[in-house]
């Protein structure tokens, strides 16, 4: 039984000019401890897929699927209240824009402590210690001082580390990372990707990594899905897919990255 | 040198920042003694992380900000102290392409109006119909359909907007175009198209680029000469070949290694440098890179290295020979 299984997922957006299909009947599964990458250009439906799993899409979206299961739970029928008992604990997400996804009015300490308290009854002191150890595990220097900092006082890379600390507060089985490094410099990107790999190894955490950069995906993931216009055009093990891409679109994406890397 | 198009000598810029109402204002050095020369029909790339002073440099070059010190010459003539008239004339010769095509176009203007603005300012003699044909010609040059002239920016994709921004910068036939991270807001596949477009236009118009980017990989296909900046300082400069095949500065090496590559199989942990840029409020003593450098020794913590020639390139590192 796989951790997450998605069967025939379709997402339509209702607009005043008719409905738009963003995701068009995709199937995929994630096993325990697997690193799965979704690669595609903007508009290919990769972020919408990630958001649909978490039920974070706006009200005008219509999500339909034959099956959408995560750890034996049916994601299609669950109510919001039931969902909140395990969201953030078994499944959590990192967003693209780290500065924009943290609340600017609260210190990172209070945001991190909130995430810990929601699923665990701990004394305030224990929560603080837990927060410090989490910040340490994501490699933030001087965590006890940083707890009092506001997001605007930290750099993009440091904010992304805080986001990751919040996401892994309960060692989730699956972490969805939607373009986690797009807003960051290449040197910091390498550090964040290293961190994700460490987490995968240490906690046997599955990661769904979404990116438009084939380089990032191919370095990190075991298996790759290539999306275009809401459909999966090709999928396979990283090594096989890179060696012999079959779909012309995959070949095009690869040649773009190769030319850059030359 | 006389044939040099744009020459910067020891350009520096500091900002006075007040961190809070109870603290004294502090001076931070955004740019420290940057010197370089741009020759006709060449592309000079400036590479570095965010916070390394690249955008400050771009702003000084197009005279959006005055430098705190140093000299800037265009065709051998100093352009720093000109009056309004000279600055105005210069603004058609040196043009800027901004980083974010979503915010650099006026959302209330149609593409036609955006592209007419430079013409209205600098080529007042053109009649409306002539302007129209010129704009249509330029839309074709940047590989966009002519109908786009009537659209508003929100109706365009990121790549299309960046093409409009390129047309706006080049429509006056400038001699120098400063492109400040023109690709970073775009998808990898679109980046490739824009790079090709910039390359074709360069050949066609004989323009020189100053291409600013945080990604060395992008620079490789377009630049002739590369300056690597760190913490407001140029730490290595050289032609593309020597930077990419035989870089001497540990920071350049780290940047090269950070670029994601195709890896058959899983990557090993290999972030080449740890940590982040030091705080500009507490600049480190000695070499600014020593806090993250794997090769740092005692001398790096005390004495700041100067740019010196080491094989093909100029490098500011004490240990360039054996790194």
């Amino acid at each position: 039984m796989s951790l997450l299984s998605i069967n025939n997922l379709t997402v339509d957006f209702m607009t005043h000019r008719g409905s738009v299909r963003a995701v068009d009947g995709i199937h995929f599964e994630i096993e325990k401890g697997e690193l799965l990458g979704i690669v595609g250009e903007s508009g290919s439906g990769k972020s919408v897929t990630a958001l649909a799993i978490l039920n974070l899409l706006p009200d005008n979206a219509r999500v339909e699927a034959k099956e959408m299961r995560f750890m034996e739970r049916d994601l299609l029928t669950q109510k919001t209240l039931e969902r909140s008992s395990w969201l953030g604990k078994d499944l959590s997400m990192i967003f693209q824009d780290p500065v924009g996804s943290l609340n600017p009015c609260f210190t990172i300490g209070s945001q991190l402590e909130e995430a810990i308290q929601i699923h665990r009854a701990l004394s305030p002191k224990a929560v603080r210690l837990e927060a410090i150890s989490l910040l340490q595990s994501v490699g933030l220097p001087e965590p006890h001082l940083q707890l009092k900092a506001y997001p605007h006082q930290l750099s993009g890379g440091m904010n992304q580390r805080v986001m990751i600390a919040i996401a892994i507060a309960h060692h989730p089985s699956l972490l969805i990372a939607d373009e986690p490094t797009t807003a960051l410099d290449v040197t910091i990107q390498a550090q964040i990707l290293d961190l994700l790999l460490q987490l995968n190894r240490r906690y046997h955490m599955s990661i769904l990594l979404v990116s438009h950069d084939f380089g990032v995906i191919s370095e990190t993931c075991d298996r790759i899905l290539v999306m275009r216009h809401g459909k999966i055009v090709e999928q396979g093990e990283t090594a096989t897919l890179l060696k012999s891409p079959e779909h012309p679109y995959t070949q095009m994406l690869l040649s773009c990255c190769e030319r850059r890397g030359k | 040198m006389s044939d040099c198009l744009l020459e910067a000598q020891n350009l520096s810029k500091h900002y006075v920042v007040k961190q809070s109402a109870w603290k004294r204002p502090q001076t931070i050095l955004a740019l420290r003694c940057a010197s370089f020369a741009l020759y006709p029909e060449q592309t000079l790339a400036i590479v570095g992380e965010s916070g390394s002073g690249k955008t400050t440099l771009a702003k000084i070059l197009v005279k959006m900000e005055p430098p705190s010190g140093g000299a800037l010459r265009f065709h051998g003539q100093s352009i720093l102290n000109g009056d309004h008239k000279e600055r105005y004339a210069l603004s058609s010769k040196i043009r800027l392409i901004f980083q974010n095509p979503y915010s650099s176009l006026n959302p209330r203007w149609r593409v036609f109006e955006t592209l007419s603005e430079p013409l209205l300012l600098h080529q007042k003699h053109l009649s409306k119909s002539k302007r129209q044909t010129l704009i249509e010609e330029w839309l074709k040059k940047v590989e966009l359909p002519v109908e786009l002239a009537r659209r508003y920016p929100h109706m365009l994709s990121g790549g299309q907007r960046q093409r409009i921004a390129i047309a706006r910068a080049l429509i006056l036939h400038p001699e120098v175009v400063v492109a400040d991270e023109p690709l970073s807001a775009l998808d990898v596949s679109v980046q490739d198209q824009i790079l090709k477009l910039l390359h074709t236009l360069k050949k066609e118009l004989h323009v020189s680029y100053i291409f600013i980017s945080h990604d060395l990989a992008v620079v490789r296909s377009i630049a002739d000469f590369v300056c690597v900046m760190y913490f407001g300082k140029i730490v290595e400069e050289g032609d593309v070949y020597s930077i990419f095949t035989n870089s001497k500065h540990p920071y350049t090496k780290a940047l090269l290694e950070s670029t994601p590559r195709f890896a058959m199989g899983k990557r090993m942990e290999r972030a080449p440098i740890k940590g982040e840029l030091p705080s500009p409020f507490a600049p480190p003593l000695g070499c600014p890179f020593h806090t993250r450098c794997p090769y740092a020794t005692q001398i790096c913590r005390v004495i700041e290295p100067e740019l010196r020639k080491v094989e093909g390139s100029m490098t500011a590192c004490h240990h360039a020979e054996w790194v």
Side-chain angles (χ1 to χ4, degrees):
Chain A
M1 190 72 204
S2 44
L3 192 67
L4 175 79
S5 62
I6 297 208
N7 197 345
N8 209 4
L9 171 73
T10 307
V11 182
D12 291 288
F13 284 97
M14 301 300 151
T15 67
H16 60 277
R17 281 158 67 195
S19 75
V20 182
R21 182 151 289 190
V23 176
D24 193 0
I26 61 168
H27 310 257
F28 68 89
E29 278 166 1
I30 300 178
E31 304 297 329
K32 182 110 189 78
E34 190 181 28
L35 284 154
L36 179 72
I38 300 185
V39 65
E41 286 176 278
S42 29
S44 60
K46 50 193 194 324
S47 289
V48 173
T49 307
L51 293 174
I53 297 169
L54 285 146
N55 199 20
L56 285 176
L57 288 169
D59 292 338
N60 67 335
R62 207 175 55 201
V63 180
E64 278 170 2
K66 208 163 157 196
E67 190 198 13
M68 209 153 70
R69 280 189 167 280
F70 173 68
M71 292 176 88
E72 310 291 311
R73 302 181 184 102
D74 188 358
L75 295 180
L76 287 166
T77 52
Q78 257 193 347
K79 297 273 179 308
T80 319
L81 207 64
E82 285 175 72
R83 215 181 254 278
S84 62
S85 68
W86 55 268
L87 261 185
K89 195 165 126 208
D90 295 334
L91 171 62
S92 54
M93 181 157 181
I94 320 169
F95 298 92
Q96 175 168 4
D97 175 14
V99 188
S101 30
L102 289 169
N103 190 333
C105 303
F106 292 93
T107 60
I108 59 160
S110 72
Q111 297 184 54
L112 183 53
E113 282 162 18
E114 185 195 4
I116 298 168
Q117 273 166 336
I118 269 180
H119 293 292
R120 242 189 290 175
L122 287 175
S123 70
K125 214 173 180 182
V127 169
R128 167 127 320 180
L129 286 177
E130 178 70 26
I132 290 175
S133 82
L134 273 172
L135 288 182
Q136 232 155 19
S137 69
V138 296
L140 206 72
E142 296 176 329
H144 51 286
L145 297 177
Q146 306 288 11
L147 282 179
K148 292 192 197 96
Y150 287 90
H152 74 269
Q153 293 170 318
L154 304 179
S155 70
M158 281 154 99
N159 273 311
Q160 193 60 285
R161 285 178 201 268
V162 174
M163 279 293 296
I164 294 176
I166 291 174
I168 63 161
H170 302 281
H171 306 320
S173 318
L174 175 63
L175 179 69
I176 298 179
D178 184 8
E179 307 247 14
T181 58
T182 311
L184 307 175
D185 277 321
V186 272
T187 47
I188 310 296
Q189 168 170 288
Q191 294 173 12
I192 296 287
L193 291 179
D194 277 359
L195 175 62
L196 289 178
L197 280 178
Q198 275 172 25
L199 293 171
N200 166 260
R201 221 165 295 150
R202 203 185 309 155
Y203 304 117
H204 210 56
M205 185 189 291
S206 310
I207 298 178
L208 174 64
L209 183 68
V210 175
S211 176
H212 69 273
D213 191 338
F214 230 121
V216 169
I217 294 275
S218 71
E219 280 193 335
T220 319
C221 298
D222 305 319
R223 205 151 60 82
I224 301 179
L225 308 178
V226 185
M227 278 189 79
R228 187 193 192 192
H229 298 329
K231 290 196 172 107
I232 294 176
V233 294
E234 190 166 0
Q235 57 176 306
E237 302 287 320
T238 306
T240 1
L241 192 84
L242 289 180
K243 220 177 273 166
S244 50
E246 273 168 20
H247 197 278
Y249 182 68
T250 316
Q251 291 164 1
M252 191 277 285
L253 274 183
L254 279 171
S255 74
C256 285
C257 294
E258 265 163 14
R259 246 197 307 276
R260 258 176 25 134
K262 232 186 291 174
Chain B
M1 264 179 273
S2 58
D3 58 341
C4 175
L5 191 58
L6 188 69
E7 191 187 4
Q9 226 171 40
N10 294 331
L11 276 184
S12 54
K13 176 80 193 169
H14 61 248
Y15 292 100
V16 178
V17 184
K18 208 167 177 184
Q19 270 186 303
S20 85
W22 291 276
K23 280 190 187 160
R24 254 185 222 180
Q26 266 183 300
T27 310
I28 59 168
L29 292 164
L31 190 64
R32 300 188 291 162
C33 294
S35 306
F36 57 83
L38 176 70
Y39 294 93
E41 291 178 51
Q42 271 210 333
T43 300
L44 171 72
I46 294 171
V47 184
E49 283 173 280
S50 38
S52 62
K54 308 174 304 246
T55 303
T56 308
L57 184 60
K59 282 183 178 166
I60 291 173
L61 293 179
V62 295
K63 306 205 60 182
M64 277 165 73
E65 298 252 15
S68 318
L72 187 61
R73 291 190 203 92
F74 183 60
H75 284 303
Q77 302 242 312
S78 173
I79 53 169
L80 284 178
N81 305 314
D83 56 7
H84 179 72
K85 221 171 169 180
E86 280 172 39
R87 283 218 302 275
Y88 178 73
L90 206 66
S91 68
S92 71
K93 303 258 175 58
I94 304 177
R95 307 275 295 166
L96 180 67
I97 301 173
F98 292 92
Q99 175 167 11
N100 189 343
Y102 293 87
S103 60
S104 69
L105 300 179
N106 189 333
R108 287 164 184 269
W109 280 2
R110 294 174 193 271
V111 168
F112 179 79
E113 288 164 289
T114 301
L115 292 183
S116 332
E117 196 194 22
L119 296 175
L120 287 171
L121 284 169
H122 289 283
Q123 298 185 2
K124 291 177 186 143
H125 58 278
L126 284 183
S127 67
K128 192 169 181 197
S129 61
K130 269 201 186 137
R131 260 199 336 261
Q132 177 99 37
T133 37
L134 193 65
I135 286 169
E136 281 175 9
E137 201 180 291
W138 268 96
L139 284 174
K140 276 180 207 146
K141 268 192 197 160
V142 294
E143 293 155 18
L144 289 175
V146 180
E147 306 87 77
L148 242 56
R150 278 179 286 125
R151 301 233 185 127
Y152 286 100
H154 73 264
M155 300 157 126
L156 308 175
S157 69
Q160 285 174 328
R161 286 180 215 213
Q162 201 56 290
R163 283 168 198 267
I164 300 289
I166 291 170
R168 177 176 63 180
L170 286 164
I171 199 163
L172 295 170
H173 290 276
E175 293 177 54
V176 179
V177 170
V178 181
D180 183 10
E181 303 238 21
L183 307 177
S184 61
L186 306 173
D187 264 359
V188 178
S189 51
V190 183
Q191 285 183 3
D192 203 46
Q193 296 165 11
I194 298 286
L195 265 183
K196 271 189 208 151
L197 175 70
L198 285 171
H199 202 72
T200 345
L201 289 173
K202 178 185 162 190
K203 274 193 197 144
E204 196 182 320
L205 304 164
H206 309 295
V207 59
S208 311
Y209 291 132
I210 290 183
F211 190 92
I212 295 174
S213 175
H214 68 272
D215 191 351
L216 259 179
V218 176
V219 161
R220 185 165 208 174
S221 58
I222 190 161
D224 301 304
F225 205 77
V226 182
C227 292
V228 181
M229 287 187 74
Y230 185 79
F231 206 59
K233 230 184 113 180
I234 294 179
V235 293
E236 181 158 23
E237 57 183 36
D239 57 86
V240 174
Y241 182 78
S242 52
I243 292 282
F244 278 87
T245 55
N246 194 13
S247 62
K248 290 289 166 207
H249 199 281
Y251 180 61
T252 316
K253 287 191 179 190
L255 275 183
L256 281 170
E257 276 167 38
S258 303
T259 313
R261 256 165 268 155
F262 296 114
M264 305 284 176
K266 212 183 283 185
R267 108 206 209 113
M268 290 296 109
E269 274 146 51
R270 52 150 199 77
I273 43 175
K274 305 264 177 264
E276 307 197 1
L277 275 176
S279 161
F281 294 106
L285 203 68
C287 174
F289 188 55
H290 85 249
T291 50
R292 300 164 85 188
C293 181
Y295 307 103
T297 56
Q298 196 53 43
I299 186 171
C300 306
R301 293 180 196 107
V302 184
I303 300 167
E304 188 166 348
E306 295 293 322
L307 270 181
R308 62 200 169 95
K309 196 161 175 68
V310 182
E311 291 176 33
S313 53
M314 300 282 282
T315 305
C317 177
H318 292 300
H319 306 306
E321 278 81 8
W322 57 268
V323 161

